[in-house]
Amino acid sequence: MTTRHRKPTLDRRKAAAAILGQRGDALVVAGLGAPCWDTAAAGDHPLNFYTWGGMGSAAMIGLGMALAQPKRRVLVITGDGEMLMALGAFATIAVQQPRNLAVIVIDNEHYGETGMQQTHTRLGVDLAGMAKAAGFRAAGTIYSTAELKAWIPRIHREPGPVFAAVKVTTAKAPLILPARDGTVLKNRFREELLGAKAR
Ligand SMILES: Cc1ncc(C[n+]2csc(CCOP(=O)(O)OP(=O)(O)O)c2C)c(N)n1
Ligand SMILES: [Mg+2]
């Protein structure tokens, strides 16, 4: 745990849009709930894989994609509650060392979607420290716009696995919902990525 705890000030929508605005041809996995809405709000895209309600799966889906598509950057954008539920993913990702994977946690220090119960990151649990200790090549916690600006090129280009926790406020953002049908989302993603091979 970290003893120093700064108050989050960043806006989740602006942070997600700043990161995704430079996604290039990356494959994006959005963790359940609000990170899905953040990702949709930044612009729907056939290469967005929205997990909708599947808690604890985002980083592992991202790892699978990164291993299957080693030439493509894979970004996982998820929540602190979702990541805390899947801490074993840090170890598995560290063992696999995917150069093309970045995991980004939109860390509002709460389970926002279910009523703003505080999570352990609110109490000092340091996700970036855990990722680094597991064996990620780079990991950091972002509190300011300047830090975010410095991290964005690292998220997109630094050899992974890269981890970043973006500390954001609990301000409510409007619901921007993507398509919900999992089969439609999967087929759209596969066709965009694999073309005729997907059929
Ligand atoms: C297995 C499982 N348990 C609980 C839930 C209910 N649930 C949906 S979103 C959520 C909170 C997610 O918190 P976080 O990942 O921090 O995202 P935030 O809404 O704060 O951005 C919970 C507990 C669920 N969908 N699946
Ligand atoms: Mg949260």
Side-chain angles (χ1 to χ4, degrees):
M1 291 215 315
T2 173
T3 45
R4 193 167 49 97
H5 198 80
R6 289 155 67 187
K7 196 171 152 49
T9 58
L10 291 173
D11 175 84
R12 63 183 303 149
R13 283 288 156 86
K14 285 189 192 153
I19 294 166
L20 288 167
Q22 295 186 39
R23 65 184 284 162
D25 70 353
L27 317 180
V28 176
V29 180
L32 91 165
C36 281
W37 326 150
D38 296 335
T39 303
D44 189 29
H45 194 293
L47 293 177
N48 287 349
F49 193 78
Y50 304 102
T51 58
W52 264 93
M55 193 165 181
S57 60
M60 284 292 91
I61 293 172
L63 174 63
M65 276 184 197
L67 296 177
Q69 293 289 327
K71 296 200 174 112
R72 300 293 285 267
R73 193 76 173 178
V74 176
L75 308 180
V76 173
I77 301 203
T78 191
D80 48 308
E82 206 272 348
M83 196 69 248
L84 283 164
M85 189 173 162
L87 290 174
F90 285 157
T92 307
I93 290 168
V95 166
Q96 293 289 339
Q97 286 291 308
R99 294 292 171 113
N100 54 333
L101 179 65
V103 178
I104 300 132
V105 166
I106 304 291
D107 186 359
N108 62 358
E109 304 184 340
H110 290 78
Y111 297 100
E113 204 67 11
T114 45
M116 283 298 170
Q117 303 87 358
Q118 68 182 16
T119 67
H120 294 333
T121 64
R122 177 78 192 91
L123 302 171
V125 169
D126 176 6
L127 287 173
M130 293 169 109
K132 193 82 178 86
F136 275 57
R137 287 170 72 92
T141 306
I142 297 166
Y143 281 94
S144 67
T145 310
E147 287 166 355
L148 181 61
K149 202 170 166 207
W151 263 94
I152 285 175
R154 302 184 67 186
I155 286 168
H156 293 298
R157 284 185 282 285
E158 188 162 313
V162 171
F163 177 88
V166 186
K167 291 286 187 177
V168 300
T169 70
T170 53
K172 275 244 178 259
L175 272 185
I176 309 284
L177 304 180
R180 191 173 181 184
D181 185 320
T183 307
V184 168
L185 289 169
K186 180 205 65 171
N187 288 343
R188 180 176 81 148
F189 186 97
R190 282 175 55 82
E191 287 202 13
E192 180 72 13
L193 179 62
L194 304 170
K197 276 194 282 177
R199 286 177 217 117

